[in-house]
Amino acid sequence: MKTEVAYLEESGIDDRYESHDSIEVGEVELAEPGVNEVHVDVKACGICHSDWHVASGDNEVEHYPCALGHEGAGVVQETGDAVEHVEPGDHVALAWMPACGKCEFCASGRQELCHRGEGMLQGPQMHGDYNMHMDDGTEVSQYAYLGCFAEDVVVHKDSVVPVPKEVDLSIAALTGCGAATGFGSAQNRADIEPGDTVVQFGLGGLGASAVMSADYQGADRIVVVDPLESKREMAAEFGATHTVNPDEESPAEFVESLTDGRMADSAIFTGSVALPEEIGEAYATVRKGGELVTVSSSPLDADRIDLPVETGGLFNFTMSEMEVKGSLYGGWAPNYAIPRLLEMYQQENLPLDKLVTQTYSLNEINEGYSDMLEGKNIRGVVEFD
Ligand SMILES: [Zn+2]
Ligand SMILES: [Zn+2]
């Protein structure tokens, strides 16, 4: 069948902060679901920064054209052989890490690090072939095995996680990436305890989810650092207690005065692009024995983390038992995170609906990414009829 999809013709435009309408929308031929595959009628897909990292050249896939989109949800249309956990009509979120459940990482409870992730940006689907083709036969890769800025996708069964039918699929979509990554980064990677002071750098979909998570875990003071006034104005809605404009005030100095010199127990970085100096700015807010969790994608050629000399540089890193941790998908498994977050949402303990600030049609996708780059949205979502 034919389906409309948003894709990139070629690798990045090399301008990470500007939109150049570089995402195309057009028809592709979609394969029938084969063994272990599921055809999903996509209803919503979140506008996450990670797709833009491919458009901007900060990240690359190995095959173009590449269908973008990795934060989707929809309705199962058809299942291939050997698919048992879903059937046509089921509502599902799409997980960009199709964890195998068998490798040593999966077996030890770290599905986000599954070996399958290594093939995710290489081009073909896991069966070694492509499920999307242009009219002239050109193979189209699916970003993160999903490419779900599309009316329909055919994906591996391990990318498909059932969700309750009562939940709006735009909300369910966010648990496929941003909400789970942000919430989990604070819950699983930052070790927040009641009474803690947490500094959150960046208030997009991930950052807002991390703030909600820090609040949920009992942090007393949650400081949001964001240069955009519109974001700082929204911060309290998610549970932030203080905000800082880093263009006007040093986050470290603010935290120093807030905590009588003790500094923050942890900082979480979800800014647009994780550059060495920005990571350093976040590191400078953390106390002895504290930790910095970095969540954002860095440029492929970034090769260091700045440890500012004002905070004792590398010497202090060792002597103060500092920690700097990475975080992928919030350090938990899609099959656990997605139903758990949606259960919290249904019990009115986690207002995921507040994350969705603007919706777009597929044809408006470049506008959606422009709005993201200009900081207009916490999360924009492409919705399909
Ligand atoms: Zn994402
Ligand atoms: Zn695995």
Side-chain angles (χ1 to χ4, degrees):
M1 69 175 284
K2 297 278 188 196
T3 194
E4 285 257 293
V5 56
Y7 63 94
L8 280 174
E9 272 287 1
E10 57 188 358
S11 173
I13 55 170
D14 204 24
D15 188 346
R16 62 174 62 108
Y17 298 116
E18 297 295 326
S19 170
H20 291 269
D21 294 343
S22 56
I23 302 174
E24 314 269 346
V25 176
E27 265 189 357
V28 298
E29 180 68 29
L30 187 66
E32 301 276 316
V35 178
N36 293 322
E37 288 188 319
V38 183
H39 173 182
V40 177
D41 176 5
V42 182
K43 295 299 186 189
C45 184
I47 297 178
C48 177
H49 210 121
S50 298
D51 305 282
W52 187 256
H53 289 307
V54 183
S56 72
D58 278 329
N59 198 348
E60 286 196 339
V61 296
E62 290 183 28
H63 178 92
Y64 298 89
C66 173
L68 298 179
H70 65 280
E71 191 177 88
V75 180
V76 174
Q77 294 299 296
E78 191 182 352
T79 56
D81 286 346
V83 176
E84 293 173 350
H85 74 304
V86 290
E87 57 186 39
D90 284 354
H91 288 198
V92 295
L94 298 172
W96 53 254
M97 176 61 82
C100 74
K102 295 183 179 66
C103 71
E104 68 265 39
F105 292 105
C106 285
S108 61
R110 304 195 71 182
Q111 284 87 339
E112 76 278 9
L113 299 179
C114 177
H115 284 311
R116 279 182 176 169
E118 289 150 26
M120 197 151 56
L121 303 180
Q122 286 180 354
Q125 295 301 99
M126 275 188 274
H127 50 54
D129 206 345
Y130 293 80
N131 285 346
M132 289 182 181
H133 292 84
M134 297 290 186
D135 269 349
D136 64 1
T138 304
E139 295 161 329
V140 178
S141 67
Q142 292 168 251
Y143 181 68
Y145 295 132
L146 296 178
C148 53
F149 281 132
E151 300 271 2
D152 292 85
V153 289
V154 170
V155 298
H156 194 277
K157 66 180 179 185
D158 294 336
S159 299
V160 173
V161 181
V163 299
K165 283 187 178 163
E166 301 75 43
V167 174
D168 185 326
L169 285 165
S170 292
I171 305 293
L174 304 188
T175 61
C177 183
T181 301
F183 193 93
S185 293
Q187 172 183 270
N188 305 316
R189 301 296 288 153
D191 297 331
I192 295 167
E193 292 178 4
D196 273 4
T197 297
V198 178
V199 189
Q200 169 58 43
F201 285 79
L203 195 76
L206 275 66
S209 301
V211 169
M212 289 194 285
S213 180
D215 187 35
Y216 191 79
Q217 289 160 74
D220 262 7
R221 288 177 291 207
I222 304 171
V223 182
V224 163
V225 180
D226 198 298
L228 292 169
E229 188 180 359
S230 58
K231 295 288 185 74
R232 295 195 304 275
E233 281 173 356
M234 284 188 272
E237 275 185 54
F238 300 102
T241 55
H242 301 78
T243 60
V244 175
N245 177 358
D247 292 340
E248 289 180 354
E249 187 172 11
S250 151
E253 284 174 16
F254 179 87
V255 174
E256 187 175 15
S257 76
L258 181 69
T259 58
D260 289 331
R262 184 173 169 271
M263 307 307 285
D265 299 285
S266 50
I268 301 168
F269 185 89
T270 66
S272 302
V273 186
L275 301 173
E277 56 274 22
E278 291 185 312
I279 296 294
E281 186 181 50
Y283 174 86
T285 64
V286 177
R287 67 162 165 81
K288 286 197 280 188
E291 69 218 328
L292 166 64
V293 177
T294 71
V295 190
S296 304
S297 182
S298 293
L300 291 173
D301 59 355
D303 60 359
R304 64 193 162 84
I305 293 172
D306 280 349
L307 304 178
V309 288
E310 306 86 71
T311 64
L314 186 55
F315 179 82
N316 188 62
F317 178 75
T318 304
M319 296 304 153
S320 296
E321 296 192 339
M322 307 294 285
E323 289 183 75
V324 179
K325 297 178 179 176
S327 179
L328 184 66
Y329 193 71
W332 51 349
N335 283 309
Y336 174 46
I338 290 169
R340 178 146 175 88
L341 291 171
L342 292 178
E343 191 177 15
M344 290 168 68
Y345 169 65
Q346 286 184 294
Q347 290 170 350
E348 299 184 2
N349 288 325
L350 186 66
L352 293 173
D353 51 318
K354 284 187 184 170
L355 296 172
V356 181
T357 30
Q358 182 72 38
T359 61
Y360 303 85
S361 69
L362 185 60
N363 283 314
E364 294 169 329
I365 189 156
N366 283 298
E367 187 186 331
Y369 271 100
S370 294
D371 287 349
M372 181 199 74
L373 293 167
E374 288 169 25
K376 289 185 181 168
N377 297 333
I378 295 294
R379 198 54 133 200
V381 176
V382 171
E383 290 185 341
F384 302 85
D385 297 333

